[in-house]
Amino acid sequence: MMVVTQGTGSVGPWRVALRQLTGNRAAVGAGALFVLIVAACLAAPLYAHDIAHTDAFTSQVSATTVVDGHTVPVLQQSTAGLGLGVTPIGPTWDPTHYFLGADGQGRDVMARLLYGGRNTLLIGLASATLACVLGALLGIVAGYLGGIVDGVIARILDLIWAFPVYLLAICLSVVLLTSGLDLGFVHVSADSLLLPLIIIGLIYVPYVARPIRAEVLALRGKEFVQAAVGTGASDLRLMRREILPNVAPTAVVFLPLMASITMLTEAALSFLSVGVQPPDASWGTIVQDGLGLLYTRPMVGLAPGFALALTAAVLNIFGDGVRDALDPSARIRSGL
Amino acid sequence: MNLNRRRAWLAFVSCAALALTACASGGPGPAGPGPSAGGAPGPANFEPQHSGGTLLIDSKGAPGTLDPQINYDPAGWQIAEAVYDGLLAYQKVGGPDSTKIVPDLATAMPTVTDGGTVYHFTLRPGIHFSNGQPVTVADVQTSFQRIFKASGPTSGTFYQNIAGATQCLAHPAGCGLSGVTVDPATNGITITLTRPDAEFAAKLALPHAAILPASTPDTDQGINPVLGTGPYAIASFDPNSKLVLKRNPRFTEWSRTAQPRGYPDEIDYRYGLTVEAEVTEVENGQANWVNDPLPADRLNELGTKYASQVHINPQAAFWYLPLNVNLPPFNNPQARQAVEWAVDRSAIVRLFGGSALGTPVCTILPPSYPEHVDYCAYTKGPPTTWSAPDLAKAQELVQQSGTKGQPVAIVVQNDEVNLAIGGYLQSVLNQIGYQATLKPLSPGVQFPYIQNSNNKVQISLTQWYEDYPAASDFVNVLLSCNSYHPGTDSSINISGYCDKDYDAALDRAMADQQTDPAKARAEWGELDRRAMDTALIVPLFTPNYVDFVSASVGNYQYSSSFSTIIDQMWVK
């Protein structure tokens, strides 16, 4: 196992990495912003029920609201010209009354943005974790055991890798959205958030597993591994005690970067109606809701788009910080 | 072809033919389209100062095959109207006269003998195809044979009554069609039917009965243009980018009512843009007409900044929700009534584009019909016209019905408007106690899908467009046992309702229509009321269609038969 010695005492690599990370202002700022975004999204029910007093999942086509002290319909019939078209109310910038306006169903965009963020973040983070954990396990097993096991796992990963990510995700989603996922002992309904979570997690496994497998192949010949073999340690113990700790930083580096990718993938699938199913919301479904309102109420599509871009950016900045913290060459470059 | 349009056409054809029969017999009949007796008001005189220029039409996609006897797409039929002629035609004008049948390549309306089984025509002399070849009775005979040889989509439905059609349907390649005989000496054409067909004249006016050169191959011509006799000829066609119509140099106007000369020198269809981009092009004068339904978020802009270029065409139609009376939960009358009470028709009109585009309805028969009775069984306030839904009552009915918590799938088309209305319905059904899901399908798939009982559709969103002003076209077609064909894609009685008593009442109303119209009107109104009391379908609203043309376009005309008449538009 790698041990970093600094100054008079020695500290573990994780503590060094943490120190490195906390010294990176950009990464800390991004991390803080990400925490704020998560906290805001977790507070969605609080905002909807206690501040905006609205139901984000029920059509409010005939609802009214108060703007500048006047009661107005949420969906406003055009009275000019030929009187064609009905336009949802725009942003009022009043947190208690349609802060970001309404969508085509008369629902509060701000409330849906927060609820949608919960789903997008949940699916993004959970599927990224799934991809990293499963990818790390497969990479370690394939790389360490080699032979037929490696051949089979590597070819399966190659097969998944060979498909364009979005095409594979759309195909799986379309099939599974018809009747859900039924494995006999477990059934996932078609409108469950678990479906996009599992699909996105699985399609990104090769992106983590392949580099980790390569790293394990290199580690397998190292002296400390050979020494452990010489002590009669079992394969499982070797993988757990010698290999895993050395590839774990790689998996950890992958996590935030992968989360931004999986979050965008979820948004794309939901935008294409094969991810989160209505009336549930995600940032992708809200962008889709806003597509038909781009000319009249661009905020409906822009707000979730901005939220996505911001969250992806902070995750990438934070991920870069984590990579710098866990990358030895980066530490050398910074003189530690 | 858009199936809703095809359904509309079938009904239209029936009506026109019924009216023709009624007029020929001299007896009383339903008010409806019929043949112009020569004195019918036709199009205005040609105004040469507006002749010329190029009409640019933006369309999302090409209409499919160019073969007029095969194409079954409204956009394809619109083109066919400018390029081809049959023995008869629908009058080429806007407004109600557009449903009247007039002679086209025939010199006059047919003489019908032998109890309605023999039709005598005389071919108009001096007509040429666009290559200069004269039109002969031999072309007429081979054109009718070609309907079967090319396996036209309506050969087995529209033209199966022609003598010899059965053999032609069984063996298309060797089709002789004994029922169509010609006399080159007199230019006479005789069509013999195996049995009277009240709809036959109307069927002859459709593009599938276009007269083509005898040399036309007996297979679908696809992207290869077929010669025609109309004012325009197809100059080029690339289904991915463009179709160009140019003036037929051999065309001279022979009947202003059937086939008036066109105004533009050239008509270009351009394919591939989004509808948003099409609207922008027409606004900027880069195109003349949007050949697609207009996007909802541009309507306000069009209705204010471009009001003079917008044409609103009222439709005798309605959008509705068929409730499947043979499947849970809607096999329970209380569950059906709950949906009737819950759905806010005004809210749905808002989702459709507002009060200028639709009006809430509570009955099957359009309010403009004399048979219509102001009756609104499921609204707050007086039960005459729509006022407001009653969610509490709906929730109570669901509770009483014992269907609370049951899953309900709403099958809708996947375009923007249908999805919006579907989303609202899903929300409402969830509110009254069901577990509602939305099942969006492409328009071409959704309509046959919801008709087929094998697909076990509980509730769907669909439309019915009037093609002729008769109550039977709504109530009889949508709710009779004859319209219910389990296990097929052609079961327009989507609710699956088949009640012998109700059917007998329908038959009585149709019979009384011929002898006692006043009594029949009352009967249709009562049948409509009974259907509402039984809560078989949920009527939502009656729509208007909005067209958008560029500032340079004049003489816009909307035909009930072929929508916008492209070759009568001025661009100069």
Side-chain angles (χ1 to χ4, degrees), chain B residues 327-381:
Chain B
L327 285 177
F330 302 124
N331 55 357
N332 185 314
Q334 285 180 312
R336 298 199 298 270
Q337 287 171 352
V339 180
E340 298 269 12
W341 279 109
V343 174
D344 184 351
R345 278 73 162 172
S346 297
I348 290 180
V349 166
R350 274 189 214 103
L351 293 171
F352 187 67
S355 54
L357 270 71
T359 309
V361 292
C362 298
T363 57
I364 299 172
L365 293 172
S368 58
Y369 273 32
E371 297 90 347
H372 169 84
V373 176
D374 279 340
Y375 180 59
C376 204
Y378 308 101
T379 183
K380 279 183 176 173

Side-chain angles (χ1 to χ4, degrees), chain B residues 82-87 89 102-107 124-129 135 228-231 248 250-261:
Chain B
V83 178
Y84 302 100
D85 295 277
L87 291 173
V102 293
D104 191 356
L105 292 182
T107 55
R124 200 182 288 269
I127 310 286
H128 294 82
F129 290 109
V135 179
T229 50
N248 172 2
R250 304 307 302 244
F251 176 82
T252 51
E253 189 175 277
W254 62 80
S255 167
R256 186 133 187 84
T257 55
Q259 191 60 289
R261 79 175 88 165

Side-chain angles (χ1 to χ4, degrees), chain A residues 57-59 61-62 75 77-78 80-87 104-105 278-279 292-296, chain B residues 276 280 297-300 303-304 307 310 312 344 347 350-351 353-357 420 424 426-427 431:
Chain A
F57 304 105
T58 302
S59 291
V61 182
S62 303
L75 296 187
Q77 166 76 50
S78 170
L82 299 175
L84 296 179
V86 172
T87 308
Q105 295 280 338
L293 295 167
L294 271 182
Y295 279 82
T296 49
Chain B
E276 295 278 5
T280 303
D297 68 330
R298 305 294 292 274
L299 287 173
N300 184 38
T304 49
V310 171
I312 303 173
D344 184 351
R350 274 189 214 103
L351 293 171
S355 54
L357 270 71
Y424 165 77
Q426 183 184 19
S427 175
Q431 281 178 276

